[in-house]
Amino acid sequence: MTGADGTPVRLSRSLPDTPAAAPVRIVHLGIGNFHRAHQAWYTAHAPDADEWGIAGFTGRRPDLADALAPQDGLYTLITRGAEGDTFELIGSVSAVHPAADHEAYLDYFSAPQTALVTITVTEAAYIRNAEGRLDVDRDVIIADLQALHSDPHRVVSSLPARLVAGLMARRNANSGAITILSCDNLPENGAVTQTVVTDLAELMDESLAEWIERNVDFATSMVDRITPATTDEDRRIVQEHNGYVDASPVPTEPFSEWEDAGAQVVKDVEPFEQRKLWLLNGSHSMLAYAGSVRGHQTIDQAIADPACREWVNLFWDEASRHLPFSPAVVEDYRAALLTRFSNPHMRDQLARIAADGSTKLVVRTLPTVRAERAAGRIPVGCATTLAAWVLHLRGAGAPVKDPGAASALQAANPGDMPTAVPAVLGTLEPGLGKDGDFVRAVLAQAEAIMKSGT
């Protein structure tokens, strides 16, 4: 598809057969590939999709708003199956804004028709301290609190402050109840969101915290869909197949646990969170560190490595003992994960998954470490992940991209491994580095990883 001057046409709602923008009833914080591969896709397939538009706001970088706003929020979902790619135009995102467009954000948040606020940021963005409360000593929280006290419409930076600012605007507009739904990889992510928001609201105004308790439902969710970063090759094949230029298509996998584009509603999300965090995300972290040390670039390359696959299965054996599912259900999930990880069309980069290990490992690996040590066992699979992370911090494999890892980096370098390992483990959990048997297992696995690494 080309214009009158022969140049390729940019995707927009003015093109034939594109969906109209639905009225905004959902505000999303942290719009990116993960959100667009699941929530926006499910919303587009809902029977009343024409009534539920999404206004997406970026994180600190405005790049995605710059890419999607000229496309009226439209994008192409590329589903990478074993038989090849399929392409679908998604129209549920009605508007896209940079985070700096704070007045637009407050307007959406305070509108009576807005019913839902969803979140996909990072685990670190919730800014919790060791006790799981809001870390009120962090510079960004101190600055945001001062900004909100001086002017409730001032731009703020942190996720808790952005939510509190929106709720203040909603209360002032007398717009009624609203639901906030975290879709991040955190256990009990709804309760986590409620805690940090309430802690900040209480510092602002006790009556605001009381209003939030009466009018805001913090829901918990678990989302399971592997979504790599977009590449220039993705853009090229979309233009070749669909005939238009899409600045930001989204590649994803065929896997989805839910039929008819509907989310499964359960009384207790926690078992499903644990299954995904420990089995999928936990093994992803292992492969990101151990696989990259061994010279691999992508998940499918790493899982094809016999040593990596053995370590993953060992870790899965350890984690599976503590999941509240039948052995048959767990085995089916593990088999599906092997199929998903082995998909060569996904090309999911280990360097992407390796980011923010200081936060991720706490929820992906440490629960199994605790459970296995409490049972008197040495979890060698978990030790492999942590050994690979120490090697990663010491410069092996994928580059370190982890703003929260300053203490771990200092503990890992310089010095020898017998000194580094207990010091690094202590930054993840106080006392873990004093568990001599577990430290020895981590050291042994580090040696095993390096022995055949490249």
Side-chain angles (χ1 to χ4, degrees):
M1 187 182 301
T2 58
D5 60 357
T7 59
V9 172
R10 178 77 174 264
L11 177 60
S12 74
R13 296 190 193 264
S14 63
L15 296 179
D17 302 319
T18 55
V24 171
R25 297 188 65 192
I26 302 171
V27 173
H28 183 77
L29 297 181
I31 187 169
N33 282 14
F34 188 45
H35 160 72
R36 293 188 292 148
H38 65 84
Q39 184 205 335
W41 178 77
Y42 284 122
T43 302
H45 283 261
D48 54 351
D50 59 347
E51 300 175 17
W52 289 88
I54 300 169
F57 285 82
T58 67
R60 295 183 180 180
R61 296 178 57 182
D63 306 36
L64 195 59
D66 295 340
L68 287 183
Q71 299 179 181
D72 304 319
L74 292 169
Y75 63 94
T76 310
L77 189 71
I78 310 169
T79 302
R80 299 228 141 101
E83 299 78 22
D85 295 340
T86 60
F87 304 85
E88 182 181 0
L89 184 62
I90 306 298
S92 56
V93 178
S94 299
V96 189
H97 301 268
D101 197 351
H102 194 57
E103 283 302 318
Y105 167 73
L106 296 179
D107 287 344
Y108 285 123
F109 219 115
S110 57
Q113 64 268 25
T114 300
L116 177 64
V117 176
T118 55
I119 309 165
T120 49
V121 281
T122 65
E123 295 92 332
Y126 292 79
I127 312 184
R128 296 187 294 163
N129 59 22
E131 289 73 42
R133 312 293 303 197
L134 179 69
D135 190 347
V136 297
D137 295 324
R138 290 280 288 275
D139 289 345
V140 66
I141 296 298
I142 294 171
D144 282 346
L145 192 58
Q146 291 174 343
L148 289 174
H149 273 302
S150 66
D151 179 357
H153 285 252
R154 282 272 300 275
V155 176
V156 289
S157 300
S158 67
L159 172 68
R162 292 180 75 185
L163 292 172
V164 167
L167 291 170
M168 291 170 66
R170 190 169 185 87
R171 181 180 67 161
N172 291 339
N174 197 28
S175 293
I178 194 168
T179 296
I180 295 178
L181 175 67
S182 171
C183 300
D184 283 307
N185 286 324
L186 283 168
E188 300 181 5
N189 49 27
V192 168
T193 310
Q194 181 174 14
T195 296
V196 297
V197 168
T198 302
D199 285 351
L200 187 58
E202 288 175 345
L203 294 173
M204 284 295 302
D205 175 2
E206 186 66 35
S207 67
L208 174 63
E210 294 170 356
W211 181 89
I212 289 172
E213 184 177 3
R214 293 192 305 269
N215 291 277
V216 184
D217 179 23
F218 292 89
T220 295
S221 73
M222 185 282 298
V223 181
D224 191 351
R225 205 170 199 192
I226 298 170
T227 307
T230 302
T231 66
D232 288 338
E233 176 64 11
D234 296 328
R235 298 180 183 92
R236 186 194 67 77
I237 63 171
V238 166
Q239 182 176 343
E240 181 180 282
H241 184 272
N242 289 13
Y244 52 68
V245 174
D246 184 345
S248 188
V250 178
T252 194
E253 62 175 339
F255 177 84
S256 173
E257 284 194 294
W258 304 299
E259 298 178 357
D260 301 325
Q264 185 177 356
V265 180
V266 297
K267 291 183 179 180
D268 185 5
V269 177
E270 185 176 6
F272 299 91
E273 290 176 335
Q274 292 172 340
R275 185 180 65 175
K276 192 235 178 179
L277 283 169
W278 301 352
L279 299 188
L280 190 158
N281 298 121
S283 57
H284 253 187
S285 289
M286 174 191 281
L287 293 171
Y289 304 126
S292 64
V293 170
R294 291 172 63 81
H296 305 303
Q297 301 296 318
T298 61
I299 284 290
D300 60 290
Q301 292 172 356
I303 200 64
D305 180 331
C308 287
R309 183 177 288 224
E310 180 182 349
W311 292 328
V312 164
N313 276 306
L314 184 59
F315 169 69
W316 282 347
D317 288 344
E318 296 162 359
S320 296
R321 296 186 187 112
H322 308 285
L323 289 173
F325 293 99
S326 70
V329 168
V330 173
E331 187 55 40
D332 286 348
Y333 189 75
R334 288 173 56 164
L337 284 180
L338 285 176
T339 300
R340 296 164 68 186
F341 288 1
S342 301
N343 183 346
H345 301 290
M346 289 293 287
R347 299 188 293 275
D348 202 2
Q349 298 293 311
L350 299 180
R352 178 189 73 84
I353 300 164
D356 297 323
S358 62
T359 303
K360 292 175 177 176
L361 293 174
V362 172
V363 297
R364 299 179 178 192
T365 308
L366 289 193
T368 301
V369 173
R370 297 186 198 107
E372 287 290 280
R373 294 303 288 130
R377 293 186 288 266
I378 304 295
V380 176
C382 295
T384 306
T385 300
L386 298 178
W389 187 55
V390 175
L391 295 171
H392 161 75
L393 294 172
R394 290 168 65 86
V400 177
K401 295 183 179 179
D402 188 348
S407 60
L409 280 166
Q410 184 176 3
N413 298 283
D416 57 15
M417 284 292 286
T419 302
V421 165
V424 171
L425 294 182
T427 69
L428 280 180
E429 181 162 281
L432 186 59
K434 297 178 181 179
D435 183 341
D437 290 339
F438 186 64
V439 167
R440 284 187 284 275
V442 174
L443 286 168
Q445 291 309 103
E447 185 175 348
I449 294 166
M450 290 299 293
K451 186 175 295 184
S452 51
T454 58

